[in-house]
Amino acid sequence: MKKEEKNEAMEKLVSLCKRRGFVFQGSEIYGGLAGTWDYGPYGVALRNNIKNLWWKKFVTDREDMYGVDAAILMNQNVWKASGHVAGFADPLVDDLKTKKRYRADHLLEDMGIDPKGMRVQEMDKLIKEKGIKSPDGNPLGEVRQFNMMFKTNVGATQDENSVSYLRPETAQGMFVNFKNIIDTFHPTLPFGLAQVGKAFRNEIAPRDFIFRLRELEQMEIEYFVSPEGWKETFEHFRKEMLDWTKEIGLQSGHVHELEIAPGDLAHYSKRTIDFEFDFPFGKKELYGLAYRTDFDLKSHSLASNVDLSYYDEEKKNRFVPHCIEPSFGVDRTFLAILSDAYTEDTLGDEPRTYLKFAPAVAPVKIAVFPLLKNKPVLVEKAREVYHMLKKQIGAVEFDDNGNIGKRYRRQDEIGTPYCVTIDFDTVEKDAGVTVRDRDSGKQERVKIEDLVSYLKF
Ligand code: GAP
């Protein structure tokens, strides 16, 4: 795809999201706040479906997972021990004229240079050697590290002791609760902690809609194993993560695995696979799977003076468990689902746009219409069918606005798999309804009593 086509594809997605109430610019009436987006009613429904499906697959359907919901604000020592205060940084460079700030690695990438594994000094040297300028054509300053954590103060005093950070990953909320879970649930290894929640990163260059955010949401697992058991568990989650992408309807050809080179690994990781996705703006990271070794538990044990080891009753030995971490971004999942679902075709000689959502993630599963809005007998019957379906299926919408064609177009654009129309035959003849399939546009007559079993989700 050429750059203009990529931009056009993204513009179409952003515009549909706004037009149909999925995603709005954060603080829009004040001109926005970069790196923040607000989710509207259909966006919330899609996100909740993603999070609920994830929780079901990775927590409630298993016997070895423990859910936690830790505080976003944590003791600053957590981030010292985890290595984030010292090392959670991106390479930053200033445009010397406009004072705008850029990611040095992104500028190199834009020039066709692969920055993977490069140190700040190497990036700086390359930018100088190649005479790389800012996107506005101005000279650039020194490349330096910029810590991405949002710093704040807790309480009334503003000194070093009151410093806290908005968490940049949910992971640490689980490591610091490891002992609580051991002491209250006495699990046997292997077992995992799971958490869904917000994380915050002061990204230098938030971009690509909801891809690179300053306020994001993660779904993470810290799965604890014996030091010998990590490879098997890593392979298990690798498969589970790929299965997940299929379950939410992503095309398997659009998901790719990338083995991270040793020089590019995060400070805590001994092995990482990134799951990349073909977004409209290129192949980029969707999820990560990391072998964090015993780095985090050991670091917290050392820093807090609290024993975070595990006693194996069977083998009669004590050790610090190792950890496998499957990490998923909610917002990137949302964007991947949306970009794979976005479809333009022609139906009955009319061009149309629709979202081909897998039914499990669709914000609305069924829309119910009375054929005519001004015929009480049709409206009454349609309301009855609507309430019956809503009770059993939940995400059902009633729509009597505009003509049927217009209603189909609206439901297609929000990705509703089925539309059900109540007409005069429903009340006068056959107690049946017309069910229209979103993807094929085909219509079938189905008895009201058979509707729920006919509509498969
Ligand atoms: N606990 C490990 C961790 O946080 P990460 O690769 O930095 O690892 C995990 O982040 C996932 O969180 C990513 O794969 C992505 O889905 C999501 N993510 C990270 N930074 C993001 C950002 N700025 N905006 C949106 N999602 C982001």
Side-chain angles (χ1 to χ4, degrees), residues 169 201 203 211 213 218 220 285-286 325 327 329 332:
E169 61 169 9
R201 299 179 179 191
E203 295 281 353
F211 178 79
L213 294 166
Q218 293 183 317
E220 295 198 298
E285 180 188 338
L286 174 65
E325 179 194 64
S327 180
R332 288 190 190 176

Side-chain angles (χ1 to χ4, degrees), residues 48-115:
N48 284 344
N49 291 343
I50 292 168
K51 290 188 273 184
N52 291 339
L53 285 168
W54 186 89
W55 196 260
K56 180 172 182 318
K57 177 178 177 66
F58 289 105
V59 183
T60 42
D61 281 358
R62 301 177 60 122
E63 293 180 21
D64 53 354
M65 288 288 183
Y66 297 82
V68 297
D69 189 356
I72 287 172
L73 290 172
M74 302 173 84
N75 188 308
Q76 59 171 294
N77 291 327
V78 171
W79 305 109
K80 286 182 183 162
S82 70
H84 284 79
V85 170
F88 191 60
D90 269 345
L92 165 113
V93 66
D94 286 327
D95 176 318
L96 293 176
K97 210 165 171 192
T98 63
K99 307 292 174 214
K100 280 191 208 158
R101 297 184 146 181
Y102 298 96
R103 285 260 304 255
D105 53 336
H106 287 170
L107 292 182
L108 289 169
E109 252 173 30
D110 292 346
M111 298 300 292
I113 301 166
D114 184 1

Side-chain angles (χ1 to χ4, degrees), residues 202-269:
N202 197 2
E203 295 281 353
I204 297 163
R207 60 178 180 181
D208 297 322
F209 191 30
I210 52 171
F211 178 79
R212 193 174 300 288
L213 294 166
R214 288 185 168 140
E215 177 173 341
L216 56 130
E217 192 157 14
Q218 293 183 317
M219 307 182 284
E220 295 198 298
I221 294 166
E222 306 307 326
Y223 197 85
F224 299 102
V225 295
S226 64
E228 312 77 53
W230 77 268
K231 278 190 183 146
E232 199 185 315
T233 306
F234 195 90
E235 284 310 313
H236 165 76
F237 279 110
R238 183 181 189 170
K239 189 179 163 301
E240 286 293 277
M241 290 177 86
L242 280 177
D243 286 350
W244 159 258
T245 63
K246 289 181 197 135
E247 285 157 27
I248 55 173
L250 301 187
Q251 294 178 38
S252 37
H254 289 174
V255 180
H256 314 273
E257 288 184 38
L258 174 73
E259 182 84 41
I260 302 298
D264 288 338
L265 291 170
H267 62 278
Y268 51 73
S269 174

Side-chain angles (χ1 to χ4, degrees), residues 278-323:
D278 293 322
F279 289 100
F281 42 85
K283 190 159 67 152
K284 300 270 173 192
E285 180 188 338
L286 174 65
Y287 303 140
L289 172 63
Y291 169 39
R292 291 183 81 126
T293 68
D294 55 1
F295 174 85
D296 300 272
L297 289 183
K298 262 198 176 146
S299 303
H300 287 305
S301 212
L302 210 68
S304 64
N305 250 332
V306 174
D307 180 10
L308 298 178
S309 64
Y310 169 86
Y311 184 69
D312 187 328
E313 294 283 352
E314 230 174 72
K315 293 187 179 146
K316 307 278 178 234
N317 70 332
R318 182 169 283 284
F319 57 92
V320 176
H322 283 222
C323 177

Side-chain angles (χ1 to χ4, degrees), residues 128-149:
K128 291 202 169 93
E129 271 174 15
K130 306 250 174 217
I132 296 173
K133 299 263 188 302
S134 78
D136 292 326
N138 301 317
L140 294 163
E142 291 268 304
V143 180
R144 56 207 158 88
Q145 291 285 17
F146 170 76
N147 193 297
M148 292 199 292
M149 283 198 294

